[in-house]
Amino acid sequence: MREELKRIEADALAELSAVTNSADLEELRIKFFGRKGLLSTVMRGMGTLTDAERPVIGKLANEVRQHLTNAFEEVGERLNRQDREKQLAAEAIDITLPGRRPQLGKKHPITQTIDHIQQIFGGMGFQVADGPEIEHEYYNFDALNTPVDHPARDLQDTLYITDEVLLRTHTSPVQVRFMEKHKPPIRIIVPGKAYRLDYDVSHTPTFHQVEGLLVDQHVTFSELKGVLQSFARQMFGDQTAMRFRPHFFPFTEPSAEVDISCTVCSGKGCRTCSGTGWLEILGAGAVDPNVFEYANYSPNEVTGFAFGMGVERIASISYGIPDIRALYENDLRFLRQF
Ligand code: DAH
């Protein structure tokens, strides 16, 4: 029995030294200390010993049990420590790793341009107004003094929804809508979408305009020039020159197309301005008395001026975009440049 105890002790220590994880350790503990384990089995044999042998073997058995218990505890602690270290290593966060930045969206260049235009006219006391994109023929054409046989009414230019309802071809109808609801004085700009059957490097079927309307007593054409000159300098730089070319619009009389000195060559003449030194940026004029009549204003009591500009045109000049269709392709490589 003495030999058996010594052998169990030696076996246990040998097996213990080979244990590498807590599950194996537990299995080993059951093998030696369990109710049907090797130690218990030997201890049950104590009854067969003589009275002289029993205390000696008993003492030895206790020593072996204590020795092994200590050894198991030691290994248990070592394994626990190992497990904890493994877990800490696995869960470690490398705080030196650069983070993944969230992708931030930005305003589309067209929106940025509208914001800028709004800010400039806001500084001159203009308020923002709007109107419907689906418009009645009456506001888009008739009330703007546009005759029934005017080419702009043609199906080739205008997107009709029914015989009388259409997608507005410009923001000008908001002039009449606003005057119907408000008394003079009026000082508004109208940023918004417009639609035309047109598609090339400088036209997209959906595009943006900013309309302007100022109505009061004794408004003069020179005030129109002053307001637009101030706008051009703030938008394109202090050195920007401006010129008015006589033109025709049904809703203004007199009318003009307005050019600024070319932003690329400063007026010397280059490819961008086709050698002229000038870039057209908008149409403008004194509000036609007939338009006042349609809006139930008395042309004898008020005068005013109006203007309308294409936002894509302004943006392409400001940013140097040769083909405005790029604005609507949603290519991030293009959009990220703004
Ligand atoms: N509505 C015109 C267009 O789309 C632009 C325009 C010209 C607006 C003269 C005006 C204006 O208010 O006075 O081409």
Side-chain angles (χ1 to χ4, degrees):
M1 205 155 188
R2 178 189 304 272
E3 283 74 45
E4 205 165 352
L5 277 170
K6 283 288 179 200
R7 190 168 46 75
I8 287 173
E9 184 178 22
D11 285 355
L13 289 175
E15 285 188 50
L16 204 50
S17 69
V19 162
T20 56
N21 62 62
S22 313
D24 289 354
L25 179 69
E26 188 52 28
E27 210 172 282
L28 206 60
R29 189 193 309 282
I30 293 166
K31 178 173 170 187
F32 289 97
F33 290 101
R35 249 181 337 112
K36 295 177 184 161
L38 293 174
L39 273 174
S40 315
T41 310
V42 176
M43 300 297 262
R44 269 197 292 277
M46 293 275 276
T48 63
L49 297 175
T50 64
D51 284 351
E53 279 173 323
R54 202 173 294 121
V56 183
I57 297 297
K59 188 165 172 262
L60 178 66
N62 277 339
E63 279 167 11
V64 169
R65 174 183 286 281
Q66 193 53 52
H67 184 196
L68 288 183
T69 302
N70 291 346
F72 268 81
E73 235 163 59
E74 223 168 80
V75 173
E77 261 166 38
R78 181 164 52 76
L79 290 180
N80 274 345
R81 216 166 30 242
Q82 254 174 34
D83 285 352
R84 214 168 29 241
E85 271 160 23
K86 232 187 260 169
Q87 188 186 0
L88 284 176
E91 290 176 1
I93 296 167
D94 182 356
I95 57 165
T96 66
L97 208 64
R100 283 191 204 102
R101 274 177 196 286
Q103 297 232 5
L104 280 188
K106 270 190 282 184
K107 283 188 181 174
H108 190 277
I110 288 297
T111 308
Q112 288 183 36
T113 305
I114 290 174
D115 285 354
H116 193 188
I117 295 169
Q118 253 173 230
Q119 181 213 324
I120 293 170
F121 283 104
M124 292 189 269
F126 285 75
Q127 284 179 339
V128 174
D130 68 0
E133 289 171 23
I134 295 172
E135 186 53 284
H136 200 281
E137 199 181 25
Y138 172 78
Y139 288 104
N140 199 80
F141 295 126
D142 301 271
L144 289 170
N145 200 35
T146 309
V148 175
D149 58 359
H150 193 281
R153 294 203 181 210
D154 201 282
L155 284 170
Q156 292 202 326
D157 297 313
T158 301
L159 290 145
Y160 284 87
I161 294 169
T162 69
D163 280 353
E164 293 175 350
V165 178
L166 44 77
L167 294 179
R168 69 180 180 194
T169 58
H170 49 182
T171 44
S172 303
V174 185
Q175 289 188 27
V176 178
R177 284 185 174 276
F178 195 87
M179 286 192 279
E180 280 180 347
K181 294 224 169 73
H182 300 83
K183 287 190 184 337
I186 282 177
R187 203 188 290 201
I188 54 164
I189 54 163
V190 183
K193 287 195 182 85
Y195 303 84
R196 277 180 215 173
L197 276 165
D198 229 347
Y199 189 65
D200 59 43
V201 290
S202 52
H203 298 90
T204 50
T206 301
F207 58 102
H208 297 77
Q209 289 189 329
V210 176
E211 191 79 13
L213 176 68
L214 187 146
V215 181
D216 204 343
Q217 292 174 330
H218 314 301
V219 178
T220 65
F221 209 87
S222 62
E223 285 161 333
L224 168 63
K225 286 190 89 168
V227 164
L228 292 180
Q229 177 70 261
S230 173
F231 163 71
R233 292 203 178 130
Q234 291 182 67
M235 191 78 210
F236 301 105
D238 283 344
Q239 304 308 313
T240 310
M242 200 183 68
R243 72 172 185 185
F244 278 53
R245 274 182 293 105
H247 198 72
F248 175 80
F249 295 107
F251 30 91
T252 43
E253 183 61 32
S255 304
E257 275 188 336
V258 178
D259 300 341
I260 54 161
S261 49
C262 179
T263 49
V264 176
C265 62
S266 309
K268 287 195 246 341
C270 67
R271 247 181 38 179
T272 301
C273 57
S274 310
T276 64
W278 297 96
L279 298 170
E280 184 206 320
I281 58 160
L282 55 84
V287 178
D288 191 299
N290 287 341
V291 175
F292 283 142
E293 301 272 9
Y294 276 107
N296 286 321
Y297 276 23
S298 167
N300 299 321
E301 287 168 20
V302 291
T303 54
F305 61 73
F307 55 87
M309 64 185 84
V311 178
E312 282 75 3
R313 175 93 183 129
I314 304 283
S316 74
I317 294 172
S318 310
Y319 296 123
I321 303 167
D323 183 342
I324 67 156
R325 291 174 294 193
L327 289 164
Y328 297 110
E329 281 163 3
N330 288 332
D331 186 332
L332 286 177
R333 290 169 303 181
F334 173 79
L335 293 175
R336 284 206 178 102
Q337 297 175 51
F338 301 95

